[in-house]
mmCIF file of all heavy atoms in Angstrom:
data_model
loop_
_atom_site.group_PDB
_atom_site.id
_atom_site.type_symbol
_atom_site.label_atom_id
_atom_site.label_comp_id
_atom_site.label_asym_id
_atom_site.label_seq_id
_atom_site.Cartn_x
_atom_site.Cartn_y
_atom_site.Cartn_z
ATOM 1 N N LYS B 438 -30.206 -9.761 -1.331
ATOM 2 C CA LYS B 438 -29.961 -8.339 -1.059
ATOM 3 C C LYS B 438 -31.166 -7.751 -0.257
ATOM 4 O O LYS B 438 -30.965 -6.859 0.594
ATOM 5 C CB LYS B 438 -29.788 -7.604 -2.321
ATOM 6 C CG LYS B 438 -28.420 -7.776 -3.002
ATOM 7 C CD LYS B 438 -28.259 -6.935 -4.233
ATOM 8 C CE LYS B 438 -26.888 -7.043 -4.817
ATOM 9 N NZ LYS B 438 -26.721 -6.255 -6.079
ATOM 10 N N GLN B 439 -32.378 -8.277 -0.492
ATOM 11 C CA GLN B 439 -33.484 -7.849 0.311
ATOM 12 C C GLN B 439 -33.304 -8.180 1.787
ATOM 13 O O GLN B 439 -33.527 -7.360 2.705
ATOM 14 C CB GLN B 439 -34.773 -8.519 -0.147
ATOM 15 C CG GLN B 439 -35.394 -7.978 -1.427
ATOM 16 C CD GLN B 439 -36.623 -8.769 -1.850
ATOM 17 O OE1 GLN B 439 -36.557 -9.768 -2.486
ATOM 18 N NE2 GLN B 439 -37.794 -8.247 -1.391
ATOM 19 N N ILE B 440 -32.821 -9.420 2.060
ATOM 20 C CA ILE B 440 -32.624 -9.839 3.430
ATOM 21 C C ILE B 440 -31.482 -9.089 4.039
ATOM 22 O O ILE B 440 -31.544 -8.681 5.208
ATOM 23 C CB ILE B 440 -32.361 -11.381 3.458
ATOM 24 C CG1 ILE B 440 -33.601 -12.114 2.937
ATOM 25 C CG2 ILE B 440 -32.014 -11.865 4.852
ATOM 26 C CD1 ILE B 440 -33.405 -13.613 2.798
ATOM 27 N N TRP B 441 -30.414 -8.859 3.277
ATOM 28 C CA TRP B 441 -29.239 -8.225 3.821
ATOM 29 C C TRP B 441 -29.451 -6.677 4.038
ATOM 30 O O TRP B 441 -28.865 -6.043 4.895
ATOM 31 C CB TRP B 441 -28.021 -8.379 2.844
ATOM 32 C CG TRP B 441 -26.998 -9.384 3.366
ATOM 33 C CD1 TRP B 441 -25.761 -9.088 3.806
ATOM 34 C CD2 TRP B 441 -27.136 -10.800 3.500
ATOM 35 N NE1 TRP B 441 -25.105 -10.214 4.247
ATOM 36 C CE2 TRP B 441 -25.955 -11.324 4.032
ATOM 37 C CE3 TRP B 441 -28.190 -11.667 3.202
ATOM 38 C CZ2 TRP B 441 -25.729 -12.647 4.254
ATOM 39 C CZ3 TRP B 441 -27.992 -13.009 3.398
ATOM 40 C CH2 TRP B 441 -26.794 -13.511 3.958
ATOM 41 N N GLY B 442 -30.347 -6.099 3.189
ATOM 42 C CA GLY B 442 -30.515 -4.653 3.197
ATOM 43 C C GLY B 442 -31.656 -4.135 3.981
ATOM 44 O O GLY B 442 -31.833 -2.902 4.078
ATOM 45 N N HIS B 443 -32.483 -4.953 4.624
ATOM 46 C CA HIS B 443 -33.638 -4.474 5.364
ATOM 47 C C HIS B 443 -33.628 -5.026 6.774
ATOM 48 O O HIS B 443 -33.172 -6.165 6.989
ATOM 49 C CB HIS B 443 -34.941 -4.869 4.663
ATOM 50 C CG HIS B 443 -35.107 -4.222 3.302
ATOM 51 N ND1 HIS B 443 -34.560 -4.771 2.164
ATOM 52 C CD2 HIS B 443 -35.768 -3.111 2.960
ATOM 53 C CE1 HIS B 443 -34.877 -3.989 1.124
ATOM 54 N NE2 HIS B 443 -35.581 -2.977 1.584
ATOM 55 N N PRO B 444 -34.170 -4.297 7.751
ATOM 56 C CA PRO B 444 -34.270 -4.817 9.113
ATOM 57 C C PRO B 444 -35.095 -6.077 9.210
ATOM 58 O O PRO B 444 -34.768 -6.943 10.034
ATOM 59 C CB PRO B 444 -34.941 -3.633 9.869
ATOM 60 C CG PRO B 444 -34.688 -2.435 9.050
ATOM 61 C CD PRO B 444 -34.679 -2.882 7.623
ATOM 62 N N ALA B 445 -36.081 -6.181 8.423
ATOM 63 C CA ALA B 445 -36.917 -7.415 8.376
ATOM 64 C C ALA B 445 -37.611 -7.479 7.002
ATOM 65 O O ALA B 445 -37.874 -6.457 6.392
ATOM 66 C CB ALA B 445 -37.961 -7.391 9.464
ATOM 67 N N VAL B 446 -37.913 -8.675 6.509
ATOM 68 C CA VAL B 446 -38.513 -8.838 5.202
ATOM 69 C C VAL B 446 -39.483 -10.029 5.253
ATOM 70 O O VAL B 446 -39.269 -10.998 5.939
ATOM 71 C CB VAL B 446 -37.413 -9.052 4.144
ATOM 72 C CG1 VAL B 446 -36.623 -10.316 4.382
ATOM 73 C CG2 VAL B 446 -38.026 -9.078 2.745
ATOM 74 N N SER B 447 -40.577 -9.869 4.559
ATOM 75 C CA SER B 447 -41.570 -10.902 4.426
ATOM 76 C C SER B 447 -41.100 -11.915 3.398
ATOM 77 O O SER B 447 -40.702 -11.591 2.328
ATOM 78 C CB SER B 447 -42.946 -10.319 3.986
ATOM 79 O OG SER B 447 -43.886 -11.359 3.700
ATOM 80 N N VAL B 448 -41.190 -13.227 3.793
ATOM 81 C CA VAL B 448 -40.714 -14.279 2.893
ATOM 82 C C VAL B 448 -41.499 -14.245 1.590
ATOM 83 O O VAL B 448 -40.923 -14.401 0.512
ATOM 84 C CB VAL B 448 -40.862 -15.631 3.624
ATOM 85 C CG1 VAL B 448 -40.457 -16.755 2.688
ATOM 86 C CG2 VAL B 448 -40.020 -15.686 4.925
ATOM 87 N N LYS B 449 -42.786 -14.045 1.653
ATOM 88 C CA LYS B 449 -43.583 -14.069 0.413
ATOM 89 C C LYS B 449 -43.247 -12.936 -0.524
ATOM 90 O O LYS B 449 -43.599 -12.999 -1.673
ATOM 91 C CB LYS B 449 -45.064 -14.094 0.772
ATOM 92 C CG LYS B 449 -45.595 -12.855 1.460
ATOM 93 C CD LYS B 449 -47.065 -13.038 1.785
ATOM 94 C CE LYS B 449 -47.598 -11.822 2.663
ATOM 95 N NZ LYS B 449 -48.997 -12.037 3.021
ATOM 96 N N ASN B 450 -42.596 -11.904 -0.013
ATOM 97 C CA ASN B 450 -42.232 -10.733 -0.831
ATOM 98 C C ASN B 450 -40.842 -10.812 -1.446
ATOM 99 O O ASN B 450 -40.337 -9.900 -2.083
ATOM 100 C CB ASN B 450 -42.329 -9.449 -0.048
ATOM 101 C CG ASN B 450 -43.782 -9.089 0.248
ATOM 102 O OD1 ASN B 450 -44.706 -9.492 -0.478
ATOM 103 N ND2 ASN B 450 -44.017 -8.361 1.324
ATOM 104 N N LEU B 451 -40.137 -11.919 -1.177
ATOM 105 C CA LEU B 451 -38.786 -12.073 -1.696
ATOM 106 C C LEU B 451 -38.842 -12.152 -3.228
ATOM 107 O O LEU B 451 -39.774 -12.737 -3.786
ATOM 108 C CB LEU B 451 -38.105 -13.342 -1.123
ATOM 109 C CG LEU B 451 -37.727 -13.266 0.358
ATOM 110 C CD1 LEU B 451 -37.232 -14.633 0.801
ATOM 111 C CD2 LEU B 451 -36.664 -12.226 0.592
ATOM 112 N N LYS B 452 -37.801 -11.633 -3.916
ATOM 113 C CA LYS B 452 -37.823 -11.533 -5.362
ATOM 114 C C LYS B 452 -37.306 -12.820 -5.953
ATOM 115 O O LYS B 452 -36.184 -12.933 -6.493
ATOM 116 C CB LYS B 452 -36.889 -10.366 -5.774
ATOM 117 C CG LYS B 452 -37.497 -9.033 -5.344
ATOM 118 C CD LYS B 452 -36.601 -7.876 -5.795
ATOM 119 C CE LYS B 452 -37.175 -6.534 -5.353
ATOM 120 N NZ LYS B 452 -36.262 -5.402 -5.706
ATOM 121 N N LEU B 453 -38.164 -13.875 -5.866
ATOM 122 C CA LEU B 453 -37.915 -15.177 -6.491
ATOM 123 C C LEU B 453 -39.185 -15.593 -7.183
ATOM 124 O O LEU B 453 -40.301 -15.302 -6.712
ATOM 125 C CB LEU B 453 -37.466 -16.215 -5.407
ATOM 126 C CG LEU B 453 -36.053 -16.026 -4.862
ATOM 127 C CD1 LEU B 453 -35.842 -16.965 -3.650
ATOM 128 C CD2 LEU B 453 -35.029 -16.366 -5.953
ATOM 129 N N PRO B 454 -39.066 -16.391 -8.226
ATOM 130 C CA PRO B 454 -40.255 -16.675 -9.040
ATOM 131 C C PRO B 454 -41.278 -17.619 -8.411
ATOM 132 O O PRO B 454 -42.465 -17.536 -8.668
ATOM 133 C CB PRO B 454 -39.666 -17.333 -10.303
ATOM 134 C CG PRO B 454 -38.280 -17.771 -9.945
ATOM 135 C CD PRO B 454 -37.803 -16.833 -8.897
ATOM 136 N N THR B 455 -40.800 -18.488 -7.521
ATOM 137 C CA THR B 455 -41.781 -19.488 -6.990
ATOM 138 C C THR B 455 -41.746 -19.437 -5.399
ATOM 139 O O THR B 455 -40.704 -19.101 -4.799
ATOM 140 C CB THR B 455 -41.468 -20.911 -7.380
ATOM 141 O OG1 THR B 455 -40.197 -21.339 -6.823
ATOM 142 C CG2 THR B 455 -41.366 -20.971 -8.930
ATOM 143 N N ASP B 456 -42.866 -19.835 -4.829
ATOM 144 C CA ASP B 456 -42.931 -19.908 -3.349
ATOM 145 C C ASP B 456 -41.993 -20.962 -2.820
ATOM 146 O O ASP B 456 -41.474 -20.795 -1.726
ATOM 147 C CB ASP B 456 -44.360 -20.230 -2.930
ATOM 148 C CG ASP B 456 -45.333 -19.080 -3.183
ATOM 149 O OD1 ASP B 456 -44.863 -17.970 -3.434
ATOM 150 O OD2 ASP B 456 -46.557 -19.356 -3.137
ATOM 151 N N GLU B 457 -41.789 -22.016 -3.569
ATOM 152 C CA GLU B 457 -40.870 -23.089 -3.129
ATOM 153 C C GLU B 457 -39.425 -22.541 -2.951
ATOM 154 O O GLU B 457 -38.741 -22.876 -2.005
ATOM 155 C CB GLU B 457 -40.913 -24.255 -4.121
ATOM 156 C CG GLU B 457 -40.012 -25.419 -3.683
ATOM 157 C CD GLU B 457 -40.011 -26.557 -4.677
ATOM 158 O OE1 GLU B 457 -40.638 -26.414 -5.769
ATOM 159 O OE2 GLU B 457 -39.427 -27.665 -4.361
ATOM 160 N N GLU B 458 -39.004 -21.750 -3.989
ATOM 161 C CA GLU B 458 -37.660 -21.195 -3.884
ATOM 162 C C GLU B 458 -37.529 -20.222 -2.706
ATOM 163 O O GLU B 458 -36.475 -20.154 -2.074
ATOM 164 C CB GLU B 458 -37.337 -20.450 -5.211
ATOM 165 C CG GLU B 458 -37.098 -21.357 -6.388
ATOM 166 C CD GLU B 458 -36.795 -20.610 -7.654
ATOM 167 O OE1 GLU B 458 -37.714 -19.880 -8.156
ATOM 168 O OE2 GLU B 458 -35.698 -20.674 -8.210
#
Side-chain angles (χ1 to χ4, degrees):
K438 285 183 176 179
Q439 284 179 274
I440 297 173
W441 254 250
H443 296 85
V446 62
S447 171
V448 175
K449 63 184 176 183
N450 290 334
L451 291 174
K452 296 179 181 179
L453 286 170
T455 68
D456 291 344
E457 181 181 8
E458 287 178 295

